[in-house]
Amino acid sequence: MKKSEITLTTLPTGQALTAPVFTFEGSDRNAPSVYIQASLHGSEVQGNAVIYHLWEYCNAHPPTGDITVVPLCNPYGISRKAGEYTAGRFDPTTGDNWNRTYVDFTPEAKTFKHEGDVASLKKAFRAYMLSALDNKIKAGLDTAQLIAARLQQMTLNADLVLDLHTGEVSDRHLYAPSYTLDSTQYFNVPFVLSIDNGFDGATDEAVFCPWWTLAQARNLDVKHFGVEAFTLEVGSQEMINFDAAKIDAEGIVEYLKHQGALEGDAIKTTMKQTVRTLDNYKTFHAPTGGLVEYAVEPGEHLEAGQVFARILNINHYGTEKCFTNCVLDYPAIAILRYSSAVVPEGAQLYRFFKK
Ligand SMILES: [Zn+2]
């Protein structure tokens, strides 16, 4: 295992802002390479507990594929505290979500010219993206774009990419491109979101969308490229739980065995997995501002018409408008909820899997 540092940006103090990078060199040059990062959003730290267990595993069981791990990949984000709260979701200088500023190479994937087999096409397109990304960095990017681009350089060099996030108060769930639904059965997650080829600036999309688009433009099966990328939401923000993290790390180990990046026979998860497409992943916005009592926790099932939260408006004490009951007109499973009892109208109060 080698430890190095990546320079992400230069602070106003003139000092480099760096993040530690751990690299386990694989024993087999033909095995897939792996990149895993955590805490792109500063308050989402549970991935570091997952990485701790993975790090221990890789130390005891040297991998066959190269594994690069960047635990605190956005030190800028995690350092933005407001009181005891970690305000690490957005670049405070531009307002950009840290996970929406990756460079999109899907337009180039549609028109990329290359003659040769899949292996040489993969090599050529990867080299093209890395060189184009380098040119974009040299041409000048804003802070959030720059940090993303420097992380993207590492993700583009890997075949398998895992970006570890959390929800606010959340059960564990996995964003998976629809062509990877065989692979998702190795992760220890109860909920899987199957997503299409659509780029919205996130780490995982910046990896799989260009390859998917390249494959579609050439009528190839994207699986031939051997590139997969996931966003794994490993629980709730602002907390660390090593026992829960071990379960996630064990699933990742089985996935990496399945892909040949670690040695051993992979075992599918024994967890019941519920898979939904994004159009069955529903957001419930707070219908009014106020103070919320949450009656349903992530992972719980609810019936149509069941009150899952009620919002107190103190201006209406003594009237029937004092409480606003929140209900759905369909049965659902709660995946995540807002973390605070203090909500403005329109806040993303819950997200649900439609049953
Ligand atoms: Zn996140």
Side-chain angles (χ1 to χ4, degrees), residues 41 44 89 165-166 233:
H41 290 142
E44 302 177 11
R89 191 168 182 79
H165 286 249
T166 75
E233 308 268 349

Side-chain angles (χ1 to χ4, degrees), residues 38-39 44-53 70-72 164 240 242:
S39 295
E44 302 177 11
V45 293
Q46 173 69 0
N48 294 281
V50 176
I51 284 175
Y52 168 78
H53 290 299
V70 186
L72 288 172
L164 305 182
I240 287 279
F242 283 97

